[in-house]
Amino acid sequence: MANPRSPWHAVRVSSLHGTGVFAARDIPAGTRILDYAGRRLTAEQADARWPVNPDDPYHTFYFALSSGMVIDGGQRGNDARWINHGCAPNCEARENETGTRVAIYALQDIPAGTELLYDYGLVIDEPLTRTLKRHYRCRCGAPACRGTMLALPDAS
């Protein structure tokens, strides 16, 4: 039996994209796996720093909060920044009541060795063009993959 104090996750190379986070042991549905940590920025500060990497301008570790603040996982961040996007996620990011913190929770039982994924559902203040969708291309490979990490408008 796993030590209850041992981490739920481990970071390693992902077949989906670069680095990923994987279940280090079986994770029961509803488990709080880890917090998304990093330096807190205002939206204006985050915008002023974009692009963080001019060679890869569409890749950041920013996590926007409903309070208007942004967590920059690239500064003082933790392993949560390596969780990849998936269109059929096994995890979700949940904010606390004040919109100041985010934690990653298991949506279902996750067997040890499985990559942890949550739907980024990125919202961009630009028209959703083919080029923009390509910049935020999804690599999850799920049968219902929407092809982008961007949140798409409802078809209804």
Side-chain angles (χ1 to χ4, degrees):
M1 184 164 144
N3 176 348
R5 292 186 177 266
S6 64
W8 291 109
H9 71 282
V11 176
R12 62 180 197 245
V13 174
S14 168
S15 62
L16 295 180
H17 182 250
T19 303
V21 179
F22 295 79
R25 54 188 168 124
D26 292 345
I27 303 175
T31 299
R32 182 180 179 152
I33 302 168
L34 75 162
D35 290 341
Y36 195 98
R39 183 173 180 195
R40 298 313 198 263
L41 305 172
T42 64
E44 294 76 19
Q45 289 171 319
D47 287 346
R49 292 173 184 221
W50 190 86
V52 174
N53 177 356
D55 295 330
D56 191 5
Y58 298 97
H59 183 269
T60 71
F61 294 114
Y62 287 171
F63 199 111
L65 301 169
S66 62
S67 65
M69 297 298 289
V70 174
I71 300 172
D72 181 358
Q75 294 187 17
R76 299 194 302 252
N78 63 356
D79 293 344
R81 67 183 164 181
W82 302 116
I83 299 175
N84 282 315
H85 162 84
C87 294
N90 54 16
C91 295
E92 71 178 349
R94 296 182 195 165
E95 284 190 40
N96 66 358
E97 305 78 35
T98 57
T100 57
R101 298 179 63 90
V102 172
I104 308 301
Y105 286 84
L107 287 173
Q108 61 204 40
D109 291 342
I110 304 172
T114 303
E115 185 164 8
L116 306 182
L117 305 168
Y118 68 89
D119 186 343
Y120 290 0
L122 300 174
V123 176
I124 305 294
D125 296 328
E126 298 176 38
L128 292 178
T129 63
R130 269 191 196 160
T131 300
L132 192 60
K133 288 179 187 177
R134 189 173 58 249
H135 287 309
Y136 293 98
R137 183 171 58 97
C138 177
R139 300 175 174 116
C140 77
C145 179
R146 63 180 181 266
T148 183
M149 295 181 282
L150 297 171
L152 299 179
D154 289 333
S156 53

